[in-house]
Amino acid sequence: MHLSCKRSTSIIAVLAASLGLAAPSMLCQRTTSTKQAELKETSSVEPWWKHAVIYEIYPRSFQDSNGDGVGDLKGINSRLDYLKSLGIDAIWITPMYPSPQVDFGYDISNYEAVDPQYGTLNDMTRLIDHAKQREIRVVLDMVLNHTSDQHSWFLQAASSRTNPKHDWYVWSDGKSGTGPGSHEGRVPPNNWVSLFGGSAWEWVPAVHEYYYHEFYKQQPDLNWRNPAVEGAMFSTMRFWLDRGVAGFRLDAIPSLFEDIQLRDEAELGGTSAQGDPILARNYTDNLPEDHDVIRRLRAMIASYPGDRVLIGETYMPNTMELDKWYGGAAHDELQLAMDMLVGFSSKLDASTLRKYIDEAETELHGSQPLFVFNNHDNPRAIDRYGYGVHNEEIAKLLATILLTTQSTALMYQGEEIGMVTTPPARLQDVKDPIGISGWPKEKGRDGERTPMQWDDSANAGFSGANVNPWLPIPQSYKDHNVKVEASEPNSILNWYKQMIELRRTNPAIRDGLNIMLNADNPNVLSWLRQSPGQPAVVVVCNLTDQEQKISFDLSAQGIASKQVRTLMKTPGNVDPLSLDAVQLLPFSVYVGQAE
Ligand code: GLC
């Protein structure tokens, strides 16, 4: 689901609609490479995250170490060797802080501790330490937009108007009115709706005011116009930076500020799964003030050694909007802003993907793109891009896009073994509250949060055999699990491992420019990675269910020879004799070095 351009009926539908607005451009190969080369000259020594593969861990569903059916930090610790063998550079752990778990951790009641369900602070420091021994960095999730309504700040804020914490949240007297939703002759101040359904305003009798919540009502928004809020949140981040975390994934970062006048949003037409009108989000999202905070945050983390990183949850309608979160030409905001265009266009359409990949390389003022196809909020990419018949090939194809462009790669647990979205079949099984309020139109996010499939034993090795995991294990665990796939040379898991290794060791794939090839081909997406003094690499993806034959002329890139040597290919594809005739089976991939 998306949450910043936000899930309404189906966030994917909303995203697809917004993506569809942008017409694919014809790419000029020379312009692209020249522009990238200029941008590259301005970059200095490269920080660790530039070439990294970052792996998202949803701790509830990764590995249960104590048999309570919920994953935990000791469980993550026990799987570090697996993560090392996969070749990743960092893990991002979604919130593991104390929380009533209404939004499964995104409702934090204490930012400087660990939820007992997941372990202790000691477990966390041990995990950071053990990961470091394996050269794996730990990135934490930081929820700045809101706290839990059980956080002591909110409990104080909601106790009286004169409490010093009162102004830490966003309050309004509302307007006079009667009828449904009115309290003491007052109604909410405007038409804003929560992304999770219903009015975004909740009445608190003790203070005779409404507070604003972009998400669940148990997640009151902090008032970022109060400098004390910034002081407190920066201090919690220092707490973790001092304990060695490598940076933060900033949750819902475009939502920090709201319009000071609390103006009504325009209705865009249609209703959400929860029955709310779909609104513009001009007054609750992407306000200029958000950027001031990020700039100060960037300066704060820069005072720590080791290239600490700020990663933003940035669902944006186009690359130009995305660039703003990097600070544009000033490069003084996020180092990595999640690009949800390539990975969430959800259609194997060559011109759309080509356009987005190319723009990410050329329209971000040289900032580093961060592609992502999967996370804990959206149906898995294998299902969104898959056609059912060729899903294994499509999973490998998506992994190729993720891992062989210039982008930093963000992956989500389970994508490397081809885990599929498994939504609950019955309302009574739904755990995610939006799946309950939105059923059956919106089944919630349980389907992409099912436990990691480690082996083919009962409970897939996630929990002990006699345990009831918090979400059921999908049937696919029997043949899609780490153990089975590790022993199958052509598995999705081995494809990921080999691609990550290639990305790490091949100089052109690691450092080279990314030049889109054959830009008018509607069926085959291909690009060249080219680094001075190094053999160039062509990456070719057949996006159709038909065999394709394609030829390349690389003379514009200074490559006269047509000889090519296979680096990787989907099983079944033949080694081409020359770049004049590269033949591809349906949805297959070819990666070759121009000789
Ligand atoms: C982000 C998280 C999502 C959460 C929301 C509210 O979008 O990824 O899981 O529900 O923020 O914190």
Side-chain angles (χ1 to χ4, degrees), residues 216-516:
Y216 294 122
K217 67 178 181 207
Q218 295 90 343
Q219 295 168 297
D221 270 50
L222 284 160
N223 173 19
W224 277 84
R225 300 192 187 277
N226 183 336
V229 167
E230 179 173 312
M233 293 309 288
F234 279 28
S235 152
T236 66
M237 284 190 270
R238 287 184 177 280
F239 176 90
W240 291 108
L241 290 166
D242 291 339
R243 280 161 182 75
V245 307
F248 301 101
R249 175 263 189 185
L250 301 173
D251 183 70
I253 191 70
S255 305
L256 287 191
F257 284 82
E258 295 76 38
D259 178 41
I260 203 154
Q261 298 172 51
L262 304 181
R263 280 171 280 187
D264 276 336
E265 294 281 11
E267 292 196 17
L268 300 179
T271 52
S272 70
Q274 272 81 6
D276 302 315
I278 311 272
L279 302 180
R281 304 201 72 95
N282 296 329
Y283 298 126
T284 56
D285 290 355
N286 307 324
L287 269 64
E289 294 92 321
D290 298 337
H291 296 273
D292 301 333
V293 171
I294 303 177
R295 275 192 288 273
R296 290 193 289 274
L297 185 50
R298 175 75 178 266
M300 188 272 273
I301 66 153
S303 66
Y304 283 81
D307 290 316
R308 313 290 168 110
V309 67
L310 296 177
I311 305 172
E313 187 199 19
T314 41
Y315 288 87
M316 292 294 138
N318 58 56
T319 310
M320 255 123 62
E321 286 300 315
L322 191 62
D323 185 44
K324 294 182 184 165
W325 298 92
Y326 287 95
H331 300 278
D332 56 356
E333 298 189 32
L334 305 173
Q335 290 102 327
L336 296 172
M338 291 180 195
D339 177 317
M340 308 299 204
L341 299 162
V342 174
F344 290 86
S345 67
S346 302
K347 208 170 155 221
L348 291 177
D349 176 67
S351 62
T352 305
L353 288 169
R354 190 178 291 128
K355 167 187 152 71
Y356 287 139
I357 294 170
D358 190 65
E359 283 182 0
E361 310 280 1
T362 56
E363 303 302 322
L364 293 177
H365 287 98
S367 288
Q368 176 66 6
L370 176 62
F371 291 167
V372 43
F373 283 82
N374 287 289
N375 61 30
H376 63 284
D377 290 327
N378 292 283
R380 289 183 178 269
I382 192 169
D383 301 302
R384 285 183 285 111
Y385 289 86
Y387 289 68
V389 199
H390 293 283
N391 279 14
E392 298 265 324
E393 286 79 10
I394 290 172
K396 291 175 181 171
L397 189 154
L398 298 179
T400 307
I401 299 176
L402 178 72
L403 295 165
T404 65
T405 70
Q406 240 185 105
S407 172
T408 296
L410 180 52
M411 51 186 289
Y412 175 49
Q413 65 186 50
E415 76 176 65
E416 76 275 25
I417 50 170
M419 275 180 67
V420 293
T421 321
T422 313
R426 306 176 310 174
L427 172 59
Q428 61 263 45
D429 298 329
V430 179
K431 296 285 191 309
D432 186 13
I434 52 170
I436 298 171
S437 59
W439 189 271
K441 228 170 153 186
E442 165 64 73
K443 294 188 172 156
R445 297 165 288 179
D446 295 354
E448 50 268 23
R449 297 173 175 181
T450 57
M452 180 70 182
Q453 298 165 192
W454 294 105
D455 57 41
D456 59 3
S457 68
N459 284 333
F462 163 72
S463 256
N466 301 322
V467 176
N468 228 349
W470 81 284
L471 283 177
I473 312 286
Q475 272 316 303
S476 61
Y477 83 96
K478 292 239 164 77
D479 40 313
H480 282 93
N481 65 62
V482 169
K483 193 169 166 212
V484 164
E485 291 195 36
S487 63
E488 286 171 1
N490 290 336
S491 65
I492 299 176
L493 178 59
N494 278 319
W495 184 267
Y496 267 86
K497 278 190 186 169
Q498 287 159 28
M499 272 289 166
I500 293 173
E501 176 69 5
L502 189 62
R503 171 187 171 90
R504 206 172 57 75
T505 51
N506 183 289
I509 295 183
R510 190 183 152 83
D511 279 325
L513 299 180
N514 198 104
I515 301 148
M516 303 314 289

Side-chain angles (χ1 to χ4, degrees), residues 23-39:
S25 61
M26 291 298 287
L27 303 167
C28 163
Q29 296 173 4
R30 273 224 169 273
T31 315
T32 299
S33 59
T34 313
K35 192 155 183 186
Q36 281 188 66
E38 282 162 6
L39 292 169

Side-chain angles (χ1 to χ4, degrees), residues 96-97 111-114 120-122 124-130 132 138 140 235-248 304 308:
M96 75 307 152
Y97 317 97
Y111 285 77
E112 298 183 358
V114 170
T120 62
L121 194 52
N122 271 344
M124 190 69 214
T125 45
R126 207 170 301 128
L127 175 59
I128 295 171
D129 191 45
H130 289 181
K132 190 173 174 192
V138 177
L140 291 190
S235 152
T236 66
M237 284 190 270
R238 287 184 177 280
F239 176 90
W240 291 108
L241 290 166
D242 291 339
R243 280 161 182 75
V245 307
F248 301 101
Y304 283 81
R308 313 290 168 110

Side-chain angles (χ1 to χ4, degrees), residues 1-4 6 56 58 92 94-95 103-107 141 143 145-146 195-196 215-216 219 249-252 313 315 375-377 432 434 445 449:
M1 119 162 208
H2 162 217
L3 301 164
S4 200
K6 316 217 177 170
E56 178 190 353
Y58 196 69
W92 145 37
T94 65
D103 193 14
F104 299 110
Y106 284 95
D107 47 327
D141 214 312
V143 183
N145 178 65
H146 49 269
L195 283 175
F196 288 166
F215 299 93
Y216 294 122
Q219 295 168 297
R249 175 263 189 185
L250 301 173
D251 183 70
E313 187 199 19
Y315 288 87
N375 61 30
H376 63 284
D377 290 327
D432 186 13
I434 52 170
R445 297 165 288 179
R449 297 173 175 181

